Amino acid sequence: RFEHHGAGDRLVFTEIGSDLAEHALISEEAASAASGHTAPQQRSPEDGAARAGLNQRYTFERFVIGGNSQLAAAACRGVADSPAQLYNPLFIYGDTGLGKTHLMHAIGHEILRRSPGTEIAYVPSEQFTNEMISAIQSGRTSEFRQRYRRIDVLMVDDVHFLGNKEGTQEEFFHTFNSLYDAHRQIVITSDRPPQEIPGLQERLVSRFEWGLVTDIKPPDFETRVAILQKKAAEDRLTLDDEVIEFIARNRKSSVRQLEGAVIKLLAYSSL
């Protein structure tokens, strides 16, 4: 028989000779339409990346792996494949311009590609400090804490800037504990290993070393050549081998220097 209950209409089938009745609800979609509600659309990886503040160019496919970065790149892949299972936290350190931020963003992109609904937050430590100060001034510390303690993956760049900032370290300590206890992934970068960061509380040093601490070194000559070739190909710039080798021999300190040299050549070629 058919029973009318407004939006909750039911078809009721009663088995003859039995005290049991099987109740079948109308489809969820029809009920949703009848009540004027629509199912939420699934977020795309691109939407998630924009929400997290990820650079669209910083992906694993664009990263050139050399002997200087092999372990760090493999660890980042492992984290992207199995968040909060292999290396948590993952702490990457090295001089500026070597690719730490690139790998961090690549983790985020890969996680979102596999699971677009993942909540990811990328934040430089200086921004974390400024947001905390603003929250204190406006009386919104509870909202600030909830924002960072509800996410699935927290990525903090340049954590060495937290040195000697006692209030920020206190807040980050509790945020770290909350995420770690909830089995959420934490990724951190710095220009030096945890125990060498001046003014960093020992309890944070200890927690940063709970997972994997790995470094990225300056690239060797062969890796510098490969980086230049990849950058030139991406920018559709044709460079002779002699030019690439000349740049590789004279720009040794960072990947950023190499990419800057290619950008400069690209600017000259457009004149």
Side-chain angles (χ1 to χ4, degrees):
R1 68 179 183 277
F2 182 79
E3 296 180 357
H4 179 70
H5 300 284
D9 291 347
R10 297 172 181 266
L11 280 176
V12 181
F13 297 90
T14 304
E15 183 177 343
I16 299 175
S18 173
D19 293 330
L20 300 176
E22 179 181 1
H23 299 269
L25 294 175
I26 61 173
S27 70
E28 189 174 305
E29 293 81 3
S32 178
S35 60
H37 298 294
T38 57
Q41 293 183 345
Q42 186 177 14
R43 190 170 65 195
S44 69
E46 293 76 19
D47 291 338
R51 180 185 178 93
L54 303 181
N55 188 318
Q56 62 180 354
R57 293 178 60 87
Y58 290 169
T59 63
F60 284 125
E61 291 73 23
R62 290 177 177 265
F63 188 84
V64 177
I65 300 174
N68 64 309
S69 60
Q70 192 169 12
L71 177 58
C76 289
R77 276 286 190 181
V79 166
D81 292 342
S82 303
Q85 295 184 34
L86 289 177
Y87 313 115
N88 196 28
L90 174 61
F91 190 104
I92 308 170
Y93 71 92
D95 291 336
T96 185
L98 294 181
K100 303 184 300 295
T101 301
H102 186 140
L103 283 176
M104 178 178 276
H105 284 233
I107 290 172
H109 283 298
E110 182 62 19
I111 290 176
L112 288 170
R113 185 186 70 81
R114 295 165 177 260
S115 181
T118 304
E119 289 293 340
I120 296 177
Y122 163 78
V123 57
S125 62
E126 186 174 8
Q127 178 183 328
F128 184 89
T129 300
N130 292 337
E131 287 183 9
M132 191 193 79
I133 293 173
S134 177
I136 293 173
Q137 292 174 340
S138 61
R140 301 170 63 185
T141 54
S142 178
E143 293 180 22
F144 171 81
R145 288 168 181 163
Q146 289 301 318
R147 175 187 175 189
Y148 286 108
R149 297 182 191 183
R150 287 181 175 177
I151 58 176
D152 301 307
V153 181
L154 175 63
M155 302 190 293
V156 181
D157 212 356
D158 295 331
V159 78
H160 50 273
F161 283 119
L162 295 185
N164 296 312
K165 295 182 175 67
E166 297 298 325
T168 308
Q169 289 188 45
E170 178 74 19
E171 184 62 39
F172 187 70
F173 171 79
H174 293 294
T175 297
F176 183 103
N177 285 345
S178 178
L179 293 173
Y180 187 87
D181 291 344
H183 304 289
R184 309 293 173 85
Q185 180 67 51
I186 304 166
V187 184
I188 303 168
T189 71
S190 174
D191 64 355
R192 65 200 74 187
Q195 67 273 19
E196 295 181 13
I197 299 176
L200 188 66
Q201 296 173 2
E202 184 59 36
R203 59 181 181 174
L204 280 177
V205 172
S206 174
R207 278 159 177 75
F208 291 169
E209 294 177 340
W210 278 353
L212 176 67
V213 177
T214 184
D215 68 333
I216 299 181
K217 297 180 175 67
D220 56 23
F221 173 75
E222 289 78 12
T223 305
R224 295 197 299 272
V225 169
I227 291 170
L228 288 167
Q229 290 173 337
K230 189 173 186 64
K231 178 64 176 175
E234 289 175 351
D235 292 337
R236 298 181 180 179
L237 180 65
T238 302
L239 296 178
D240 293 336
D241 291 341
E242 293 80 3
V243 174
I244 289 179
E245 291 184 8
F246 176 82
I247 298 173
R249 293 187 188 282
N250 289 276
R251 295 288 186 271
K252 301 178 180 180
S253 62
S254 74
V255 175
R256 197 169 295 158
Q257 276 192 340
L258 296 172
E259 293 180 337
V262 174
I263 292 173
K264 185 177 291 187
L265 288 174
L266 183 62
Y268 280 127
S269 68
S270 63
L271 296 177

